[in-house]
Amino acid sequence: LTVAEMTELRRELRAEDVEFKVYKNALAQRAVESIGADGLKEVLVGPNAIAFGKDATAPARVLAKFAKKHENLVLKSGIVEGKVDEETIKKLSALPNKEGMISMFLGCLQSPIIKFACAVKAVAESKEGAAEPAAAE
């Protein structure tokens, strides 16, 4: 990536509270060994950067979105809850951020209540409609 592209990527990651750093491969391999994620050791070849985030979806989502625009950025692998899995990273990148997930959850909780309220309103309106002709007579 060019310097301008890296700056843009870092800005987007910083907005999501994600830390993005370039480490020496030897240092990264030692760190991977110490945490027991040996599956990640084989992808630490060539130029690499590592993204850390408090929100599990934020690094994957921002990096995947950026990789779609810039073909030079390749997502190699990742660690989620101590497991090394590239497929999980791809699935996480499709999820919305934490606030988006909370709003989707609340929408699911509200849906039955809203449907019940609409049904009660329709029954009340139909009874009012039936009562008005009897009053007119």
Side-chain angles (χ1 to χ4, degrees):
L1 296 174
T2 65
V3 174
E5 291 170 336
M6 282 295 284
T7 304
E8 179 185 351
L9 176 59
R10 288 178 192 268
R11 187 177 310 120
E12 290 179 18
L13 288 167
R14 206 173 306 120
E16 292 283 336
D17 198 27
V18 175
E19 193 174 331
F20 186 73
K21 293 190 178 192
V22 177
Y23 293 100
K24 293 264 188 192
N25 287 339
L27 182 64
Q29 288 174 355
R30 285 186 199 157
V32 166
E33 285 177 7
S34 70
I35 63 170
D38 294 327
L40 192 60
K41 192 174 181 181
E42 51 207 41
V43 296
L44 293 172
V45 181
N48 293 301
I50 301 174
F52 302 95
K54 295 175 186 171
D55 181 9
T57 62
R61 186 181 64 254
V62 174
L63 289 170
K65 181 181 170 187
F66 195 83
K68 286 180 184 176
K69 291 187 252 176
H70 302 88
E71 62 188 37
N72 291 335
L73 179 64
V74 177
L75 300 179
K76 292 183 178 180
S77 189
I79 301 174
V80 177
E81 295 181 356
K83 297 178 185 174
V84 177
D85 188 13
E86 183 180 348
E87 199 61 36
T88 304
I89 302 300
K90 289 180 182 178
K91 289 178 183 176
L92 283 175
S93 68
L95 293 175
N97 62 3
K98 184 177 178 180
E99 289 80 24
M101 284 192 260
I102 290 172
S103 67
M104 288 171 61
F105 178 68
L106 291 175
C108 290
L109 291 178
Q110 287 180 336
S111 179
I113 296 168
I114 291 172
K115 288 180 182 177
F116 178 71
C118 289
V120 169
K121 182 179 177 184
V123 169
E125 288 176 353
S126 68
K127 287 186 177 181
E128 286 178 9
E132 288 178 15
E137 290 175 7

